[in-house]
Amino acid sequence: MQTTTSNSAEPAIAQPAPIKRLLSLDTLRGFDMFWIMGGEEVFHALAKTTGWAWAILLADQFTHPSWNGFRAYDLIFPLFVFMAGVSTPFSIGGKLEKGADKSQIARKIITRGLILVLLGVIYNNGLFVKALQDTRFPSVLGRIGLAGMFAQLIYLYAKPRTQYIWFIGILLGYWAAMMLIPVPGCGAGVLTMECNLASYIDRQLVPGHLYKTIHDPEGLFSTIPAICNALLGIFAGTFLRTHGKTGNQKALQLLGAGVGFVVLGWLWNFVFPVNKNLWTSSFMLVTGGLSLTLLAIFYWIIDIKDIKGWTFFFTIIGMNSILIYLAGEFIDFGYAARFFFGGLLKLSASEVVLEVGGVLAILAVKWVFLYFLYRKKTFLRV
């Protein structure tokens, strides 16, 4: 991990490796990160202060189901994993075409994956060492690191046909394991929080403590199907790099594939429920299909139709996406927001203005922070 300062005219895209001439991916990454850095709180504030039906409906979509099911908020995490895959054919593929040594690339892939795991542990537990039993090792960043690492290694060493076999094999293998391998005291095919195979394996193998004591939504075993989200992104990135098709054709085919995956995922839901906590194979297909759909839309609007004026706000976020994710644990953005905007907000007696304005103030401070780093051409690289 390093923080770099670029002196070139155009700053490099920091997360993940730089993408040339694919502004849609950078914009989509920033769009995704916007909700993680607090964008969803606008709807929660509106629902709380107004009671408007549409605000309550949207606020509900920015929560996670207690177990089975799907809401819009469930897409944010797998979309980020997917985008790490999309960038791979542009970054690693470009290096391979120039004759780069595969072993050196593999070492960098593994190093980056392990650094993200370490950053995830720091994000969960802080900078100071805790007792092993008090440490939570599974994390969002850890899953991004491991899923992306294994998907990129598959891309590096496997031919395209074998990559597809890996994709199908992982999804079917995870399904078979979860449904056929018995859990002591529970039996086979039980998918409750207490009795499913993924949680049982995590309880046996993962050191420290799990997020929900008996289960961790970012556990080790349920990271396996997340590899397919990254692989699907790799397939999409490879397709976008191909010649012989127009931009409109690429966007339309990505959209069609996205819809197809969503339908297939919901059909699989009848026998293997869509469940983010377990990252079921059906969940992977639904989120992968929606990720393809969003990429197709962003690609068509930005890279094909050249409608780019609105992208700057999101690309600033996307350029330092992991940094702003980590910064929230170590920087009190709320204090800065109150310092700069608190007096202005207090001029209003409206609860709506105070609540929503407070959320927007924090978002503004975070964005200005990222813009300052952009102006200084300073980006967190992993």
Side-chain angles (χ1 to χ4, degrees):
M1 179 188 68
Q2 60 181 345
T3 301
T4 63
T5 300
S6 171
N7 294 318
S8 60
E10 290 295 330
I13 306 304
Q15 298 298 337
I19 307 298
K20 294 182 179 179
R21 297 181 300 275
L22 200 57
L23 180 61
S24 54
L25 182 59
D26 303 327
T27 307
L28 182 56
R29 186 183 301 115
F31 174 79
D32 191 37
M33 196 65 211
F34 170 76
W35 304 109
I36 299 176
M37 63 185 263
E40 86 286 352
E41 291 296 333
V42 174
F43 299 112
H44 290 298
L46 281 171
K48 173 185 174 182
T49 56
T50 67
W52 295 335
W54 66 267
I56 294 173
L57 178 64
L58 288 175
D60 184 62
Q61 282 298 309
F62 282 97
T63 61
H64 295 299
S66 58
W67 194 242
N68 292 335
F70 180 83
R71 292 176 189 152
Y73 206 42
D74 295 333
L75 178 60
I76 291 174
F77 184 7
L79 177 58
F80 203 93
V81 178
F82 169 84
M83 288 186 288
V86 176
S87 70
T88 298
F90 292 87
S91 56
I92 295 176
K95 292 177 182 177
L96 291 174
E97 290 171 358
K98 295 177 181 178
D101 182 66
K102 283 189 177 181
S103 61
Q104 290 183 352
I105 296 175
R107 282 195 291 271
K108 290 181 179 179
I109 289 171
I110 294 170
T111 299
R112 181 180 188 270
L114 296 180
I115 287 174
L116 284 172
V117 171
L118 176 60
L119 289 176
V121 175
I122 294 173
Y123 180 86
N124 286 343
N125 306 282
L127 292 171
F128 301 103
V129 177
K130 293 184 177 182
L132 180 63
Q133 66 271 18
D134 297 325
T135 302
R136 182 187 173 216
F137 288 92
S139 67
V140 169
L141 289 179
R143 176 161 292 181
I144 292 172
L146 292 176
M149 180 182 76
F150 285 112
Q152 289 177 344
L153 290 174
I154 291 171
Y155 172 79
L156 184 64
Y157 288 108
K159 295 180 179 180
R161 181 180 178 182
T162 309
Q163 294 171 23
Y164 297 136
I165 293 173
W166 271 105
F167 180 84
I168 296 171
I170 290 172
L171 291 181
L172 293 178
Y174 186 70
W175 178 35
M178 293 291 285
M179 300 304 293
L180 299 179
I181 298 177
V183 174
C186 299
V190 182
L191 298 178
T192 63
M193 185 181 296
E194 298 82 2
C195 281
N196 72 85
L197 179 67
S199 298
Y200 174 76
I201 290 177
D202 288 343
R203 291 195 295 269
Q204 306 308 309
L205 298 182
V206 177
H209 76 89
L210 304 180
Y211 184 65
K212 296 185 177 180
T213 307
I214 60 172
H215 166 77
D216 200 300
E218 282 80 53
L220 183 62
F221 192 71
S222 58
T223 294
I224 294 173
I227 296 170
C228 292
N229 289 84
L231 276 175
L232 186 61
I234 288 174
F235 300 155
T238 301
F239 177 70
L240 288 175
R241 288 193 78 208
T242 59
H243 301 287
K245 294 181 182 293
T246 67
N248 284 325
Q249 289 173 331
K250 291 179 180 179
L252 186 60
Q253 289 184 35
L254 284 175
L255 181 63
V259 172
F261 275 113
V262 171
V263 171
L264 185 59
W266 281 114
L267 289 174
W268 206 343
N269 173 67
F270 288 109
V271 292
F272 195 26
V274 171
N275 184 305
K276 177 185 179 294
N277 280 273
L278 299 177
W279 211 283
T280 54
S281 303
S282 55
F283 174 80
M284 182 275 128
L285 289 182
V286 170
T287 56
L290 291 172
S291 298
L292 281 170
T293 301
L294 283 174
L295 178 63
I297 293 170
F298 275 63
Y299 176 71
W300 184 78
I301 292 173
I302 298 168
D303 293 313
I304 305 306
K305 292 302 179 181
D306 202 34
I307 304 173
K308 300 177 179 179
W310 58 280
T311 63
F312 183 72
F313 175 83
F314 292 114
T315 55
I316 291 297
I317 301 171
M319 286 178 178
N320 259 323
S321 52
I322 290 180
L323 185 145
I324 193 61
Y325 178 79
L326 291 169
E329 290 298 302
F330 303 101
I331 299 175
D332 190 348
F333 289 107
Y335 175 83
R338 290 188 296 272
F339 178 82
F340 288 107
F341 300 102
L344 182 63
L345 291 174
K346 288 179 180 178
L347 294 177
S348 173
S350 169
E351 184 182 6
V352 177
V353 173
L354 289 173
E355 289 285 341
V356 177
V359 172
L360 294 176
I362 293 174
L363 287 172
V365 168
K366 289 182 177 181
W367 192 89
V368 170
F369 170 70
L370 291 173
Y371 179 72
F372 173 79
L373 295 178
Y374 164 81
R375 293 288 296 177
K376 294 295 183 180
K377 297 181 174 60
T378 301
F379 306 96
L380 177 67
R381 296 191 183 281
V382 177

